Each structure stands twice: as structure tokens, then as C-alpha cells.
Amino acid sequence: MMTSRALRQAVLPSVSYGPFRLLEAVPWLMLASSMRFLSFAGGPLSIPAGIFANVALLLAFVIVAWRMVLISDGRSGLGRLGFRQQLAMARTVLLPVLGLLIVAALVAKLSLVVDRPEQLMFGFDGIAFDQLTHIGRLWSAVVAALLLLMVLQVDEAAKPSLFRAIGQFAARALWLVPAVLLVAVISILLHPVQTWFRGLIWIIWQQEGIPMPVKNGLYFGFVFLFATVRLWLTVSILVLALRQSYRDQPSA
């Protein structure tokens, strides 16, 4: 997006009908949601399910980021990544992000200031799914910004680096900090709306006579809808802010 390299051929599918582009990430979000349910249920599948959920969420993030880069008249090699390359990037990106989440949760716990510091471990998950605390929602917005900077490093010679992303965030903080705050505010405002719909779905689940497939469809549709809205809003705001920062500070 932000380099001078012109990348013409796209491996990710070309969707001609504009509104369908909003749905490209939905299959990955569906997989991420299903794996989250398995992970939260516990048992021997919880760890592998959590890993698959994170990988699926990252691939959904990559698709939305690539689309937003194109919409904002930018360039990125994300569209040229094949599936194996995407998985390789997922491993490169997710490991340092996991380390960041662990460090943040430990620091928050030791500070004795943050309520429920363990929620910071869900900073990556909170990019698309609702967090339980306001500090968690703010943290998810920060993680999303760093993740965006990391995946856009695909245009550079070196592998994506968290430390390089932190440096880029600091260099472009004039635009990225307000963008992160806006993402956090939107997430906070979406929480009561999502809570209301969750309560409505629960009431429907208690009704007799409604077929179970209908109940399941309503619940999963509710999850996918809000996950898609959160992901697109988050990435859109961050990409547009990043794009503007490059116009103001092209050499930063």
C-alpha cells in the first residue's frame, strides 16, 4: 500500500459486484466463530480450536485490509499472497502478537490498576468480537493498528516485524492515535446494541415451537453480522488514517 512497488496481479479473487466485497471475509469469520465456541467449551480441542480461530480471524483481517487499501487508492502485495503464503504470514504475525498480549496482561496484573487484566489476552480476538471491558476495547484497537502495520509490511523485503510496526505507529501517531481512539469509541457504542440483540436472541431461544435450525441460524447470523461490522469499521478507520499520514509524512 505504502511502498513504490506496483503490484498488478491479484491472487485473492476479483469481485466485480461491489457489495459482495463486504462479504468476502465472512467465511473466515464463520470459521473463527465456530472455533471460538469449541475453544471456550474447554476440553482437548480447546487449544487447537483457539489456534484455528486466530488464524481464521487474521485471514479475514487480511482480506478486509487489502480491500480497504484498494478503496483508498493504495497499493499492497496482500492481494498476491497465495493461501500457503497467507498461512506463513499468519505464523510470522501471530506469534509476536501473542507475546504482546501476554506481556500486556502481565503488566496490567502487576500494576494492580486495571480491572480484569486477563481480558487483555483477548486483544486480538476483540478486533472482530465484543470485549468485556472498556480498557479491553481500547487495547483491541491498539492491537488492530499494530496488526495492520505488520501485515502491510508484506511489501517490504524483511518479514513482518512487531517492533518495526511499533516504530511506524510512533512515527505516524498524529493520525493513528485519534484513529485508535475512534475505533475504541465505536466499539464501546456497539456494545450495548450488541448486548440488546444478544438478549433478544436469548428470548427467542427460550420459545417453544421454533425449530432448532432456525434458532441456530439466528444466533450465528447475529455473531457474523456484528463481527463483520466491527472488522470493517476497525480496518476502514485505521487504513484511512494511515493513508492520510502518508500524505502528510511521506518519508516517515
Side-chain angles (χ1 to χ4, degrees):
M1 167 188 178
M2 309 306 175
T3 70
S4 60
R5 183 181 301 177
L7 299 169
R8 299 178 181 179
Q9 182 180 2
V11 171
L12 288 176
S14 177
V15 180
S16 59
Y17 185 54
F20 284 166
R21 296 172 184 172
L22 300 176
L23 305 178
E24 285 180 289
V26 169
W28 289 118
L29 290 175
M30 292 172 65
L31 178 59
S33 300
S34 301
M35 293 297 101
R36 288 174 78 249
F37 289 129
L38 288 177
S39 179
F40 293 155
L45 294 179
S46 61
I47 294 179
I51 294 173
F52 279 119
N54 287 334
V55 171
L57 178 53
L58 176 61
L59 295 180
F61 186 96
V62 167
I63 291 174
V64 175
W66 180 58
R67 283 299 180 190
M68 273 308 304
V69 166
L70 297 183
I71 291 172
S72 63
D73 297 323
R75 297 172 181 171
S76 173
L78 289 175
R80 297 190 66 192
L81 294 178
F83 184 63
R84 290 186 179 180
Q85 293 171 307
Q86 292 178 44
L87 291 180
M89 184 182 67
R91 181 179 65 252
T92 303
V93 169
L94 288 177
L95 287 178
V97 169
L98 175 60
L100 177 66
L101 299 180
I102 293 174
V103 170
L106 289 176
V107 171
K109 186 175 182 62
L110 293 174
S111 70
L112 302 178
V113 175
V114 179
D115 291 332
R116 307 183 72 174
E118 70 281 356
Q119 287 299 312
L120 297 186
M121 283 295 297
F122 296 97
F124 177 71
D125 186 80
I127 294 174
F129 303 102
D130 194 18
Q131 277 269 31
L132 297 180
T133 63
H134 289 341
I135 189 65
R137 297 181 184 102
L138 175 59
W139 175 235
S140 289
V142 173
V143 172
L146 294 175
L147 182 63
L148 177 64
L149 291 169
M150 289 182 72
V151 299
L152 290 179
Q153 291 171 8
V154 70
D155 291 331
E156 303 173 10
K159 291 183 178 180
S161 165
L162 175 60
F163 293 107
R164 200 157 69 249
I166 293 173
Q168 292 172 340
F169 185 94
R172 304 185 183 281
L174 182 63
W175 282 98
L176 289 181
V177 169
V180 164
L181 294 176
L182 178 58
V183 168
V185 168
I186 290 176
S187 182
I188 291 172
L189 294 177
L190 275 175
H191 174 68
V193 178
Q194 191 166 351
T195 299
W196 185 85
F197 274 98
R198 187 182 294 111
L200 180 62
I201 296 297
W202 175 251
I203 293 175
I204 294 175
W205 261 73
Q206 306 308 306
Q207 304 300 314
E208 297 182 359
I210 300 178
M212 186 57 65
V214 174
K215 294 180 179 180
N216 289 334
L218 286 174
Y219 182 75
F220 277 96
F222 153 76
V223 173
F224 302 149
L225 173 63
F226 276 95
T228 302
V229 169
R230 285 178 180 277
L231 183 59
W232 268 99
L233 286 176
T234 296
V235 175
S236 299
I237 292 169
L238 293 174
V239 167
L240 293 176
L242 185 59
R243 188 64 179 168
Q244 189 59 46
S245 77
Y246 272 87
R247 290 170 179 162
D248 290 353
Q249 303 169 279
S251 60

